[in-house]
Short mmCIF file of all heavy atoms in Angstrom, two decimals:
data_model
loop_
_atom_site.label_atom_id
_atom_site.label_comp_id
_atom_site.label_asym_id
_atom_site.label_seq_id
_atom_site.Cartn_x
_atom_site.Cartn_y
_atom_site.Cartn_z
N THR A 1 46.23 141.00 122.04
CA THR A 1 45.50 142.36 121.93
C THR A 1 46.57 143.30 121.54
O THR A 1 46.02 144.54 121.24
CB THR A 1 44.80 142.80 123.34
OG1 THR A 1 45.82 143.08 124.17
CG2 THR A 1 43.96 141.64 123.72
N GLY A 2 47.68 143.14 121.53
CA GLY A 2 48.75 144.15 121.39
C GLY A 2 49.03 145.27 122.40
O GLY A 2 49.83 146.17 122.23
N MET A 3 48.38 145.00 123.61
CA MET A 3 48.54 145.79 124.87
C MET A 3 50.04 145.70 125.29
O MET A 3 50.60 144.56 125.35
CB MET A 3 47.58 145.61 125.88
CG MET A 3 47.72 146.68 126.97
SD MET A 3 46.56 146.26 128.26
CE MET A 3 44.91 146.43 127.38
N ASP A 4 50.75 146.88 125.65
CA ASP A 4 52.08 146.57 126.07
C ASP A 4 51.96 146.20 127.61
O ASP A 4 51.10 146.32 128.27
CB ASP A 4 52.78 148.00 125.98
CG ASP A 4 52.22 149.05 126.83
OD1 ASP A 4 51.15 149.65 126.38
OD2 ASP A 4 52.64 149.21 127.89
N ALA A 5 53.07 145.49 127.96
CA ALA A 5 53.10 144.80 129.34
C ALA A 5 52.98 145.86 130.40
O ALA A 5 52.47 145.64 131.35
CB ALA A 5 54.41 144.02 129.50
N ARG A 6 53.68 146.98 130.29
CA ARG A 6 53.67 147.98 131.33
C ARG A 6 52.27 148.43 131.59
O ARG A 6 51.84 148.50 132.79
CB ARG A 6 54.32 149.21 130.85
CG ARG A 6 54.33 150.49 131.84
CD ARG A 6 55.06 151.72 131.19
NE ARG A 6 54.66 152.92 131.98
CZ ARG A 6 53.58 153.63 131.85
NH1 ARG A 6 52.74 153.33 130.92
NH2 ARG A 6 53.44 154.72 132.53
N THR A 7 51.42 148.74 130.54
CA THR A 7 50.04 149.21 130.84
C THR A 7 49.27 148.03 131.52
O THR A 7 48.56 148.36 132.51
CB THR A 7 49.37 149.52 129.48
OG1 THR A 7 50.03 150.50 128.93
CG2 THR A 7 47.92 149.88 129.63
N PHE A 8 49.38 146.92 131.11
CA PHE A 8 48.54 145.92 131.73
C PHE A 8 49.05 145.46 133.10
O PHE A 8 48.18 145.15 134.00
CB PHE A 8 48.63 144.53 130.91
CG PHE A 8 47.47 143.61 131.19
CD1 PHE A 8 46.29 143.91 130.57
CD2 PHE A 8 47.61 142.60 131.95
CE1 PHE A 8 45.06 143.11 130.68
CE2 PHE A 8 46.36 141.70 132.22
CZ PHE A 8 45.25 142.09 131.50
N LEU A 9 50.38 145.52 133.36
CA LEU A 9 50.87 145.37 134.78
C LEU A 9 50.29 146.41 135.72
O LEU A 9 49.97 146.16 136.87
CB LEU A 9 52.43 145.39 134.75
CG LEU A 9 53.03 144.11 134.32
CD1 LEU A 9 54.52 144.31 134.14
CD2 LEU A 9 52.84 142.91 135.24
N ILE A 10 50.32 147.66 135.30
CA ILE A 10 49.76 148.74 136.14
C ILE A 10 48.30 148.51 136.33
O ILE A 10 47.76 148.59 137.47
CB ILE A 10 49.95 150.13 135.45
CG1 ILE A 10 51.37 150.51 135.40
CG2 ILE A 10 49.15 151.18 135.99
CD1 ILE A 10 51.71 151.67 134.54
N ILE A 11 47.48 148.10 135.31
CA ILE A 11 46.11 147.61 135.62
C ILE A 11 45.89 146.53 136.62
O ILE A 11 45.11 146.59 137.60
CB ILE A 11 45.35 147.25 134.32
CG1 ILE A 11 45.28 148.27 133.31
CG2 ILE A 11 44.01 146.75 134.55
CD1 ILE A 11 44.76 148.05 131.90
N GLU A 12 46.90 145.68 136.53
CA GLU A 12 46.82 144.42 137.48
C GLU A 12 47.19 144.86 138.89
O GLU A 12 46.82 144.43 139.88
CB GLU A 12 47.67 143.39 136.98
CG GLU A 12 47.09 142.58 135.75
CD GLU A 12 47.82 141.24 135.69
OE1 GLU A 12 49.08 141.14 135.73
OE2 GLU A 12 47.07 140.25 135.45
N ILE A 13 48.04 145.95 138.98
CA ILE A 13 48.39 146.43 140.29
C ILE A 13 47.26 147.02 141.09
O ILE A 13 47.05 146.84 142.20
CB ILE A 13 49.66 147.45 140.22
CG1 ILE A 13 50.97 146.72 139.77
CG2 ILE A 13 49.69 148.32 141.47
CD1 ILE A 13 52.11 147.75 139.47
N PHE A 14 46.38 147.80 140.18
CA PHE A 14 45.13 148.32 140.75
C PHE A 14 44.24 147.18 141.14
O PHE A 14 43.55 147.18 142.11
CB PHE A 14 44.48 149.27 139.85
CG PHE A 14 45.08 150.56 139.77
CD1 PHE A 14 45.96 151.05 138.80
CD2 PHE A 14 44.80 151.46 140.75
CE1 PHE A 14 46.57 152.24 138.70
CE2 PHE A 14 45.42 152.86 140.84
CZ PHE A 14 46.22 153.19 139.62
N GLY A 15 44.23 146.09 140.25
CA GLY A 15 43.41 144.89 140.68
C GLY A 15 43.90 144.39 141.99
O GLY A 15 43.15 143.86 142.78
N ALA A 16 45.17 144.30 142.26
CA ALA A 16 45.73 143.67 143.42
C ALA A 16 45.36 144.51 144.67
O ALA A 16 45.13 143.92 145.68
CB ALA A 16 47.25 143.63 143.39
N LEU A 17 45.23 145.80 144.50
CA LEU A 17 44.64 146.56 145.58
C LEU A 17 43.22 146.31 145.80
O LEU A 17 42.86 146.23 147.09
CB LEU A 17 44.85 148.16 145.21
CG LEU A 17 46.31 148.70 145.06
CD1 LEU A 17 46.22 150.13 144.54
CD2 LEU A 17 47.00 148.54 146.37
N ALA A 18 42.48 146.10 144.74
CA ALA A 18 41.13 145.63 144.95
C ALA A 18 40.93 144.26 145.62
O ALA A 18 40.20 144.02 146.46
CB ALA A 18 40.36 145.57 143.64
N LEU A 19 41.95 143.50 145.28
CA LEU A 19 42.03 142.11 145.88
C LEU A 19 42.24 142.24 147.43
O LEU A 19 41.56 141.60 148.13
CB LEU A 19 43.21 141.24 145.28
CG LEU A 19 43.58 140.00 145.94
CD1 LEU A 19 42.43 139.02 145.97
CD2 LEU A 19 44.78 139.42 145.20
N ALA A 20 43.17 143.06 147.82
CA ALA A 20 43.47 143.26 149.27
C ALA A 20 42.25 143.74 150.01
O ALA A 20 41.97 143.33 151.07
CB ALA A 20 44.70 144.21 149.44
N ALA A 21 41.55 144.85 149.35
CA ALA A 21 40.39 145.45 150.03
C ALA A 21 39.20 144.34 150.12
O ALA A 21 38.56 144.21 151.23
CB ALA A 21 39.82 146.62 149.23
N ALA A 22 39.14 143.52 149.09
CA ALA A 22 38.05 142.51 149.12
C ALA A 22 38.38 141.35 150.14
O ALA A 22 37.44 140.81 150.77
CB ALA A 22 37.98 141.87 147.74
N ILE A 23 39.69 141.08 150.35
CA ILE A 23 40.04 140.07 151.30
C ILE A 23 39.69 140.59 152.76
O ILE A 23 39.16 139.74 153.47
CB ILE A 23 41.58 139.78 151.18
CG1 ILE A 23 41.81 138.94 149.94
CG2 ILE A 23 42.07 138.94 152.42
CD1 ILE A 23 43.31 138.65 149.72
N VAL A 24 40.07 141.79 153.01
CA VAL A 24 39.69 142.42 154.31
C VAL A 24 38.04 142.40 154.48
O VAL A 24 37.60 141.97 155.51
CB VAL A 24 40.22 143.82 154.38
CG1 VAL A 24 39.80 144.52 155.70
CG2 VAL A 24 41.75 143.87 154.33
N ALA A 25 37.48 142.77 153.45
CA ALA A 25 35.94 142.75 153.50
C ALA A 25 35.46 141.41 153.74
O ALA A 25 34.46 141.24 154.50
CB ALA A 25 35.37 143.29 152.22
N SER A 26 36.06 140.37 153.19
CA SER A 26 35.65 138.97 153.36
C SER A 26 35.63 138.55 154.92
O SER A 26 34.75 137.70 155.34
CB SER A 26 36.48 138.04 152.63
OG SER A 26 37.80 137.71 153.27
N GLY A 27 36.62 139.06 155.62
CA GLY A 27 36.66 138.82 157.02
C GLY A 27 35.51 139.31 157.82
O GLY A 27 34.85 138.69 158.69
N VAL A 28 34.95 140.63 157.35
CA VAL A 28 33.91 141.18 158.02
C VAL A 28 32.64 140.50 157.69
O VAL A 28 31.80 140.10 158.60
CB VAL A 28 33.82 142.64 157.74
CG1 VAL A 28 32.49 143.29 158.33
CG2 VAL A 28 35.07 143.44 158.05
N ILE A 29 32.47 140.16 156.47
CA ILE A 29 31.33 139.42 156.00
C ILE A 29 31.12 138.09 156.49
O ILE A 29 30.01 137.58 157.01
CB ILE A 29 31.28 139.48 154.43
CG1 ILE A 29 31.23 140.90 153.80
CG2 ILE A 29 29.95 138.69 153.95
CD1 ILE A 29 31.44 140.99 152.40
N ALA A 30 32.25 137.31 156.55
CA ALA A 30 32.19 135.95 156.93
C ALA A 30 31.80 135.88 158.43
O ALA A 30 31.17 134.91 158.75
CB ALA A 30 33.58 135.38 156.83
N ASP A 31 32.19 136.90 159.26
CA ASP A 31 31.79 136.85 160.64
C ASP A 31 30.36 137.02 160.83
O ASP A 31 29.78 136.78 161.94
CB ASP A 31 32.70 137.73 161.43
CG ASP A 31 34.07 137.13 161.58
OD1 ASP A 31 34.19 136.01 161.62
OD2 ASP A 31 35.02 138.04 161.82
N ARG A 32 29.76 137.50 159.82
CA ARG A 32 28.30 137.86 159.97
C ARG A 32 27.35 136.70 159.27
O ARG A 32 26.43 136.29 159.78
CB ARG A 32 27.91 139.09 159.21
CG ARG A 32 28.63 140.35 159.89
CD ARG A 32 27.97 141.60 159.38
NE ARG A 32 28.54 142.76 160.05
CZ ARG A 32 28.11 144.00 160.07
NH1 ARG A 32 26.99 144.30 159.41
NH2 ARG A 32 28.66 144.90 160.72
N ILE A 33 27.82 136.07 158.15
CA ILE A 33 26.98 135.09 157.49
C ILE A 33 27.74 133.72 157.50
O ILE A 33 27.08 132.84 157.13
CB ILE A 33 26.79 135.55 156.07
CG1 ILE A 33 28.13 135.42 155.26
CG2 ILE A 33 26.10 136.89 155.99
CD1 ILE A 33 27.82 135.68 153.72
N GLY A 34 28.85 133.63 157.88
CA GLY A 34 29.63 132.38 157.95
C GLY A 34 30.60 132.19 156.88
O GLY A 34 30.26 132.70 155.73
N ARG A 35 31.73 131.59 156.98
CA ARG A 35 32.71 131.35 156.07
C ARG A 35 32.36 130.60 154.84
O ARG A 35 32.42 130.93 153.76
CB ARG A 35 34.06 130.68 156.65
CG ARG A 35 34.75 131.49 157.78
CD ARG A 35 35.97 130.84 158.23
NE ARG A 35 36.89 130.76 157.17
CZ ARG A 35 38.00 129.92 157.23
NH1 ARG A 35 38.17 129.08 158.35
NH2 ARG A 35 38.88 129.88 156.21
N ARG A 36 31.65 129.41 155.19
CA ARG A 36 31.18 128.51 154.07
C ARG A 36 30.10 129.09 153.30
O ARG A 36 30.11 128.92 152.07
CB ARG A 36 30.91 127.24 154.62
CG ARG A 36 31.99 126.51 155.40
CD ARG A 36 31.60 125.21 155.92
NE ARG A 36 32.72 124.68 156.82
CZ ARG A 36 32.74 123.55 157.41
NH1 ARG A 36 31.59 122.81 157.27
NH2 ARG A 36 33.70 123.19 158.28
N THR A 37 29.23 129.91 153.87
CA THR A 37 28.25 130.53 153.16
C THR A 37 28.81 131.58 152.17
O THR A 37 28.29 131.70 151.07
CB THR A 37 27.20 131.32 154.11
OG1 THR A 37 26.68 130.33 155.00
CG2 THR A 37 26.07 131.87 153.31
N LEU A 38 29.70 132.40 152.60
CA LEU A 38 30.41 133.32 151.79
C LEU A 38 31.04 132.73 150.59
O LEU A 38 31.03 133.10 149.51
CB LEU A 38 31.36 134.26 152.60
CG LEU A 38 32.23 135.30 151.79
CD1 LEU A 38 31.38 136.24 151.03
CD2 LEU A 38 33.21 135.95 152.70
N ILE A 39 31.88 131.61 150.87
CA ILE A 39 32.48 130.92 149.79
C ILE A 39 31.60 130.50 148.79
O ILE A 39 31.86 130.46 147.59
CB ILE A 39 33.39 129.73 150.41
CG1 ILE A 39 34.53 130.26 151.28
CG2 ILE A 39 33.93 128.76 149.27
CD1 ILE A 39 35.31 129.12 151.89
N GLY A 40 30.37 129.88 149.19
CA GLY A 40 29.38 129.29 148.23
C GLY A 40 28.87 130.58 147.44
O GLY A 40 28.69 130.35 146.24
N ALA A 41 28.51 131.56 148.12
CA ALA A 41 27.89 132.65 147.48
C ALA A 41 28.99 133.29 146.40
O ALA A 41 28.57 133.75 145.35
CB ALA A 41 27.44 133.82 148.39
N SER A 42 30.20 133.38 146.86
CA SER A 42 31.25 133.90 145.91
C SER A 42 31.31 132.98 144.65
O SER A 42 31.63 133.46 143.61
CB SER A 42 32.52 133.98 146.70
OG SER A 42 32.44 134.98 147.66
N ALA A 43 31.27 131.70 144.99
CA ALA A 43 31.44 130.64 143.81
C ALA A 43 30.27 130.95 142.83
O ALA A 43 30.51 130.93 141.61
CB ALA A 43 31.43 129.35 144.35
N ALA A 44 29.12 131.09 143.31
CA ALA A 44 27.92 131.47 142.42
C ALA A 44 28.16 132.72 141.60
O ALA A 44 27.90 132.80 140.43
CB ALA A 44 26.65 131.58 143.17
#
């Protein structure tokens, strides 16, 4: 795509912040609906 590495790394850094937030959210959700149910729904 011709995008420079710096720009894409910064985008991925924001993605990593979203990853951390989603991991924390998974703990809350899993305790309500079950770990395996959440994994199956996420796979879908």
Side-chain angles (χ1 to χ4, degrees):
T1 71
M3 187 182 298
D4 64 279
R6 171 187 173 275
T7 299
F8 204 79
L9 283 172
I10 291 174
I11 294 173
E12 289 199 311
I13 287 173
F14 281 102
L17 295 174
L19 171 62
I23 288 175
V24 173
S26 77
V28 178
I29 298 171
D31 284 333
R32 296 195 176 192
I33 68 174
R35 296 182 65 196
R36 298 178 189 180
T37 301
L38 176 58
I39 293 173
S42 299

